[in-house]
Amino acid sequence: MNTILPEAVLFDLDGTLLDTAPDFHFVINQLLAEQQQPPVSYDFIRGHVSNGARAMVCAALSLEEHSAGFDQLHQRMLELYLQHLDVDTRPFPGIQNLLNWLGEKHIPWGIVTNKPECYTTPVMQGLNLQPAAGTVICPDHVREKKPHPEALFLACKELKTAPERTVYIGDHRRDIEAGLNAGMPTIAVSYGYLDENENIDNWNSHYRVDHASEIRPILETLFCNR
């Protein structure tokens, strides 16, 4: 891994860089209340966040995507989320210290997410993370979503770095698959929104961490010329 020294770092968003589950939990329970359904627990929603809004609606309301009325419920959930998308969302513990270190070392960083731009941009603006991301790639910017590597290639182009010199960090199998498909060193994080039966060790990432504070030592080794 050290034969080609990395020059940049890319993060997945939900479950890797940001803990967005509290806001999703609030919104899903709003939706359930509107449907006169009982609320679900925070842990229940946390286990579905990385699978997206559709999966959360299906799980919370015990529906399938082809169920009657699903599209309307999904759209309503998104409307509610737009009103409550950065209230309790925060960087995971250890992330801000990591970003501070990247800034001190002049290592560019960015985000590659499957979260649409209309939600990603206001969340990032509301949090105003510093140093700022050098690139934020959403599915709106590419034809193919992760695990296809197209978004990662675009992020590298914007950061002016080669994929093999860029580390990708994510909390979902598709993140690691995308990174591997792009030829990147990958770090899998277990502190995000893992499915209950998911085994992170089966993702074949180059590294894994259980807390965001464990990312920096790996990067210090990879960026040993800094």
Side-chain angles (χ1 to χ4, degrees), residues 112-115 137-155 168 174-175 178-179 181-182:
V112 176
T113 177
N114 278 353
K115 192 187 194 84
I137 304 299
C138 302
D140 316 65
H141 307 137
V142 293
R143 293 184 178 181
E144 302 288 344
K145 292 183 179 181
K146 296 178 294 183
H148 195 282
E150 181 187 3
L152 292 172
F153 289 148
L154 178 57
Y168 190 44
R174 67 170 168 263
D175 299 324
N181 289 337

Coordinates of all heavy atoms in Angstrom, one line a residue, residues 112-115 137-155 168 174-175 178-179 181-182:
V112 N -17.9 11.9 -1.4 CA -18.6 11.2 -2.5 C -19.7 10.4 -1.9 O -19.5 9.5 -1.1 CB -17.7 10.2 -3.3 CG1 -18.5 9.5 -4.3 CG2 -16.5 11.0 -3.9
T113 N -21.0 10.8 -2.2 CA -22.1 10.3 -1.5 C -23.2 10.0 -2.5 O -23.3 10.5 -3.6 CB -22.7 11.4 -0.5 OG1 -23.9 10.9 0.1 CG2 -23.0 12.7 -1.2
N114 N -24.1 9.0 -2.1 CA -25.3 8.7 -2.9 C -26.5 9.6 -2.4 O -27.6 9.5 -2.9 CB -25.7 7.3 -2.7 CG -24.9 6.4 -3.7 OD1 -24.1 6.9 -4.5 ND2 -25.0 5.1 -3.5
K115 N -26.2 10.6 -1.5 CA -27.3 11.5 -1.0 C -27.4 12.6 -2.1 O -26.5 13.2 -2.5 CB -26.8 12.1 0.3 CG -27.9 12.8 1.1 CD -27.2 13.5 2.3 CE -28.2 14.0 3.3 NZ -28.6 12.9 4.3
I137 N -19.3 15.3 -4.3 CA -19.9 14.7 -5.5 C -21.2 13.9 -5.0 O -21.1 13.0 -4.2 CB -18.9 13.7 -6.2 CG1 -17.7 14.5 -6.6 CG2 -19.6 13.1 -7.4 CD1 -17.9 15.6 -7.5
C138 N -22.3 14.2 -5.6 CA -23.6 13.6 -5.4 C -24.0 12.9 -6.6 O -23.5 13.0 -7.7 CB -24.6 14.7 -5.0 SG -24.1 15.7 -3.6
P139 N -25.1 12.0 -6.5 CA -25.5 11.3 -7.7 C -26.0 12.2 -8.8 O -26.0 11.8 -9.9 CB -26.7 10.4 -7.1 CG -27.0 11.0 -5.8 CD -25.8 11.6 -5.3
D140 N -26.4 13.4 -8.5 CA -26.8 14.4 -9.5 C -25.7 14.7 -10.5 O -26.0 15.2 -11.6 CB -27.3 15.7 -8.8 CG -28.1 15.5 -7.6 OD1 -27.6 14.9 -6.6 OD2 -29.3 15.9 -7.6
H141 N -24.4 14.5 -10.1 CA -23.3 14.9 -10.9 C -22.8 13.8 -11.8 O -21.8 14.1 -12.5 CB -22.2 15.4 -9.9 CG -22.6 16.4 -9.0 ND1 -22.2 16.4 -7.6 CD2 -23.4 17.5 -9.1 CE1 -22.8 17.5 -7.0 NE2 -23.5 18.1 -7.9
V142 N -23.3 12.6 -11.7 CA -22.8 11.5 -12.4 C -24.0 10.7 -13.0 O -25.1 10.9 -12.6 CB -21.9 10.6 -11.6 CG1 -20.6 11.3 -11.2 CG2 -22.6 10.1 -10.3
R143 N -23.6 9.8 -13.9 CA -24.7 8.9 -14.4 C -24.9 7.6 -13.6 O -26.0 7.1 -13.5 CB -24.3 8.5 -15.8 CG -24.3 9.6 -16.9 CD -24.0 9.1 -18.2 NE -24.0 10.1 -19.2 CZ -23.8 10.0 -20.5 NH1 -23.5 8.7 -21.0 NH2 -23.9 11.0 -21.4
E144 N -23.8 7.2 -12.9 CA -23.9 5.9 -12.2 C -23.6 6.2 -10.7 O -22.7 6.9 -10.3 CB -22.8 4.9 -12.7 CG -23.0 4.6 -14.2 CD -24.2 3.7 -14.4 OE1 -24.7 3.1 -13.5 OE2 -24.5 3.6 -15.6
K145 N -24.4 5.6 -9.8 CA -24.2 5.7 -8.4 C -23.2 4.6 -7.9 O -22.9 3.7 -8.6 CB -25.5 5.4 -7.6 CG -26.6 6.5 -7.8 CD -27.8 6.2 -6.9 CE -28.8 7.2 -7.0 NZ -30.0 6.9 -6.2
K146 N -22.6 4.8 -6.7 CA -21.8 3.8 -6.1 C -22.6 2.5 -6.0 O -23.8 2.6 -5.7 CB -21.3 4.3 -4.7 CG -20.4 5.5 -4.7 CD -20.1 5.8 -3.3 CE -21.2 6.3 -2.4 NZ -20.9 6.8 -1.1
P147 N -22.0 1.4 -6.2 CA -20.6 1.1 -6.2 C -19.8 1.3 -7.5 O -18.7 1.0 -7.6 CB -20.6 -0.4 -5.8 CG -21.8 -1.0 -6.4 CD -22.8 0.1 -6.2
H148 N -20.5 1.9 -8.5 CA -19.8 2.3 -9.7 C -18.8 3.3 -9.3 O -19.0 4.2 -8.5 CB -20.7 2.8 -10.8 CG -20.2 2.9 -12.1 ND1 -19.3 3.9 -12.5 CD2 -20.3 2.1 -13.2 CE1 -19.0 3.8 -13.8 NE2 -19.6 2.7 -14.2
P149 N -17.6 3.3 -9.9 CA -16.5 4.3 -9.5 C -16.6 5.6 -10.1 O -15.8 6.5 -9.9 CB -15.2 3.5 -9.9 CG -15.6 2.8 -11.1 CD -17.1 2.3 -10.8
E150 N -17.6 5.9 -11.0 CA -17.6 7.2 -11.7 C -17.5 8.4 -10.8 O -16.8 9.3 -11.1 CB -18.9 7.2 -12.5 CG -19.0 8.5 -13.4 CD -20.4 8.7 -14.1 OE1 -21.3 7.8 -13.9 OE2 -20.5 9.7 -14.8
A151 N -18.3 8.4 -9.7 CA -18.3 9.5 -8.8 C -16.9 9.7 -8.2 O -16.4 10.9 -7.9 CB -19.3 9.4 -7.7
L152 N -16.2 8.6 -7.8 CA -14.9 8.7 -7.3 C -13.9 9.3 -8.3 O -13.0 10.1 -7.9 CB -14.4 7.4 -6.8 CG -15.2 6.8 -5.6 CD1 -14.8 5.4 -5.3 CD2 -15.0 7.7 -4.3
F153 N -14.0 8.9 -9.5 CA -13.1 9.4 -10.6 C -13.4 10.9 -10.7 O -12.4 11.7 -10.9 CB -13.4 8.7 -11.9 CG -12.9 7.3 -11.9 CD1 -13.6 6.3 -12.7 CD2 -11.8 6.9 -11.2 CE1 -13.2 5.0 -12.7 CE2 -11.4 5.5 -11.3 CZ -12.1 4.6 -12.0
L154 N -14.6 11.4 -10.7 CA -14.9 12.8 -10.8 C -14.3 13.6 -9.6 O -13.8 14.7 -9.8 CB -16.4 13.0 -10.9 CG -16.9 14.5 -11.0 CD1 -16.2 15.2 -12.2 CD2 -18.4 14.5 -11.1
A155 N -14.5 13.0 -8.4 CA -13.9 13.7 -7.3 C -12.4 13.8 -7.4 O -11.8 14.9 -7.1 CB -14.2 12.9 -6.0
Y168 N -10.3 6.2 0.1 CA -11.8 6.4 0.2 C -12.2 5.7 1.5 O -11.8 4.5 1.7 CB -12.5 5.8 -1.0 CG -14.0 6.2 -1.0 CD1 -14.4 7.4 -0.7 CD2 -15.0 5.2 -1.3 CE1 -15.8 7.8 -0.6 CE2 -16.3 5.5 -1.2 CZ -16.7 6.8 -0.9 OH -18.0 7.2 -0.9
R174 N -21.0 -1.0 -0.5 CA -20.9 -0.3 -1.8 C -19.8 0.7 -1.8 O -19.3 1.0 -2.9 CB -22.3 0.3 -2.2 CG -22.7 1.4 -1.3 CD -23.9 2.2 -1.9 NE -24.4 3.1 -0.9 CZ -25.4 2.8 -0.1 NH1 -26.1 1.6 -0.2 NH2 -25.9 3.7 0.8
D175 N -19.5 1.4 -0.6 CA -18.5 2.3 -0.6 C -17.1 1.7 -0.9 O -16.3 2.2 -1.7 CB -18.4 3.0 0.8 CG -19.7 3.8 1.1 OD1 -20.3 4.4 0.2 OD2 -20.1 3.8 2.3
A178 N -16.9 0.5 -4.4 CA -16.6 1.6 -5.3 C -15.1 2.0 -5.3 O -14.5 2.3 -6.3 CB -17.5 2.8 -4.9
G179 N -14.6 2.1 -4.0 CA -13.2 2.4 -3.9 C -12.3 1.4 -4.6 O -11.3 1.7 -5.3
N181 N -13.2 -0.6 -7.0 CA -13.4 -0.5 -8.4 C -12.6 0.6 -9.0 O -12.2 0.6 -10.2 CB -14.9 -0.3 -8.7 CG -15.7 -1.6 -8.5 OD1 -15.1 -2.7 -8.5 ND2 -17.0 -1.4 -8.2
A182 N -12.3 1.7 -8.2 CA -11.6 2.8 -8.7 C -10.1 2.6 -8.5 O -9.3 3.5 -8.9 CB -12.0 4.1 -7.9

